[in-house]
């Protein structure tokens, strides 16, 4: 295993990136599509909603997974996967039995518990820390506001509540640092349709800095991250990934970066803002809307996006029936699209956001025709607004291909899947 990882990191080096701290730099040329390196997860947790459909160890999607004989809440491909996961699952197994349906720590808490356990059992550097160790992660502790500090304290309380019998804890100050490190350096593992599968730590991947004009993308095979070039990378060039969804205009992207990662991006896209006009396209009317009307509608759009996110989260927590929840979410989408459509073109990114959400709701309730209608409206503007080789565009073509096939339109399905 060690020689394989060394080979995969050949041609790359850690260096001091001007104005960005640590970074990753190419020592040789990489062609478009070439794999720069793979990184196994330092540790990972499967999201609770995917239990029973994916293996808790390797994240493979399979039918007929075997349950953990004790807690009945963890599922595995086979005995090998169960043995592989046991050093981490044993942290949770007896607690799952004791708490039953009340066992509900967040993914962040679960991931942090596994980091603490792994640091104790594997104090030496692991195969996922070839260039950057977990203990070197930035915490940005000095930049945390009171709200973020309070959220971390809530996570620490949950860690003690759910894992008190199975972990040795450092003091509170060290836990604050660790949670801050996880918040800044954790990864969301997604499937081929960019659906959430779980959370993980990939130290060497975390070494890469952000750009809104990235030259690599990160994809996942189970709990393995793969870093692949989407532009030609010359020797001496820094390797950049994107930390955020690149659909949105410059101000939105930098608001997200400041809130989650505590910096502003200074890439070419953020300096020139050349794509913002197209991303915020206004209806072509004989009597164009005023600048104030446009500003108000942008503010409304941002608020409704946040409202939708909160509705998905809190109504699920309150255990409303899923059918009721889907109806409410679809209503939010349709009402917001009607209102925004008076000012925005359908290619405006805020319109696209709500159409994408509506498509997701339709997929959930198995309204294939409704999902297809929304997807057909989204795909062309997506291809324009996202950079080349975007995973968001690829996953949308995949969804459309599967929808066409489900609706027995094979020629359109084949064409979309070839995309």
């Amino acid at each position: 295993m060690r020689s394989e990882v060394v080979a995969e990191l050949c041609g790359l080096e850690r260096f001091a990136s001007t104005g960005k701290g640590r970074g990753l730099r190419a020592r040789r040329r990489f062609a478009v599509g070439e794999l720069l390196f793979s990184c196994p997860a330092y540790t990972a947790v499967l999201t609770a909603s995917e239990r029973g459909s994916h293996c808790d160890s390797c994240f493979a999607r399979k039918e007929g997974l075997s349950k953990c004989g004790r807690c009945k809440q963890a599922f595995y491909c086979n005995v090998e996967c169960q043995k592989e996961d046991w050093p981490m699952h044993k942290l949770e197994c007896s607690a799952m039995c004791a708490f039953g349906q009340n066992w509900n720590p967040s993914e962040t808490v679960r991931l942090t518990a596994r980091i603490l356990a792994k640091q104790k059992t594997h104090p030496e550097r692991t195969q996922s820390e070839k260039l950057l160790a977990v203990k070197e992660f930035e915490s940005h502790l000095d930049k945390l506001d009171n709200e973020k500090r309070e959220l971390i304290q809530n996570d620490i309380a949950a860690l003690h509540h759910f894992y008190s019998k199975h972990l040795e804890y450092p003091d509170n100050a060290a836990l604050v640092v660790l949670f801050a490190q996880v918040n800044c350096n954790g990864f969301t593992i997604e499937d081929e349709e960019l659906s959430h599968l779980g959370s993980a730590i990939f130290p060497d991947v975390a070494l890469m800095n952000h750009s809104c004009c990235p030259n690599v993308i990160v994809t996942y095979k189970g709990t393995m991250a793969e870093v692949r070039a989407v532009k030609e990378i010359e020797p001496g060039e820094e390797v950049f990934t994107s930390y955020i969804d690149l659909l949105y205009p410059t101000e939105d992207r930098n608001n997200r970066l400041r809130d989650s990662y505590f910096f502003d991006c200074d890439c070419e896209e953020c300096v020139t803002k050349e794509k913002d006009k197209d991303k915020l396209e206004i209806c072509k009317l004989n009597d164009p809307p005023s600048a104030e009307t446009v500003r108000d509608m942008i503010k409304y759009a941002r608020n409704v996006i946040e409202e939708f996110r909160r509705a998905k989260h809190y109504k699920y927590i309150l255990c409303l029936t899923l059918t009721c929840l889907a109806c409410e979410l679809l209503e939010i989408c349709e009402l917001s699209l009607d209102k925004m459509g008076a000012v925005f073109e359908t290619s405006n990114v805020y319109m696209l956001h709500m159409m994408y959400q509506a498509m997701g709701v339709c997929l959930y309730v198995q309204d294939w025709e409704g999902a297809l209608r929304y997807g057909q409206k989204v795909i062309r503007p997506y291809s324009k607004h996202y950079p080349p080789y975007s995973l968001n565009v690829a996953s949308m073509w995949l969804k459309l291909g599967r929808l066409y096939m489900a609706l027995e339109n094979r020629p359109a399905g084949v064409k979309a899947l070839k995309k």
Side-chain angles (χ1 to χ4, degrees), residues 130-161:
K130 192 67 185 173
L131 297 178
L132 182 69
V134 170
K135 291 183 178 180
E136 294 181 275
F137 281 174
E138 284 283 356
S139 67
H140 298 289
L141 200 61
D142 59 324
K143 299 171 186 172
L144 298 181
D145 58 24
N146 289 335
E147 182 181 0
K148 286 185 170 60
R149 288 179 179 274
E150 184 177 347
L151 290 172
I152 286 176
Q153 289 300 335
N154 291 339
D155 281 340
I156 291 172
L159 183 73
H160 283 285
H161 179 66

Side-chain angles (χ1 to χ4, degrees), residues 372 376 400-401 403-415:
L372 182 61
Q376 287 170 327
L400 288 174
L403 284 167
Y404 283 125
M405 291 297 195
L407 294 169
E408 299 183 355
N409 185 345
R410 193 173 186 280
V414 169
K415 186 177 179 180

Side-chain angles (χ1 to χ4, degrees), residues 13 41 50 52 86 125 133 142 167 178 180 204 211 253 255 267 271 318 348 357-358 385:
E13 64 181 355
E50 295 298 335
W86 177 245
R125 212 166 174 116
D142 59 324
L167 278 177
L178 180 56
D204 286 339
S211 172
R253 295 197 309 274
N255 284 341
C267 73
V271 171
L318 291 171
N348 183 292
Q357 298 300 329
H385 294 322

Side-chain angles (χ1 to χ4, degrees), residues 378-388 393 397:
V378 165
I379 186 60
R380 296 300 175 187
Y382 260 34
S383 302
K384 177 182 179 182
H385 294 322
Y386 278 111
V393 177
W397 279 119

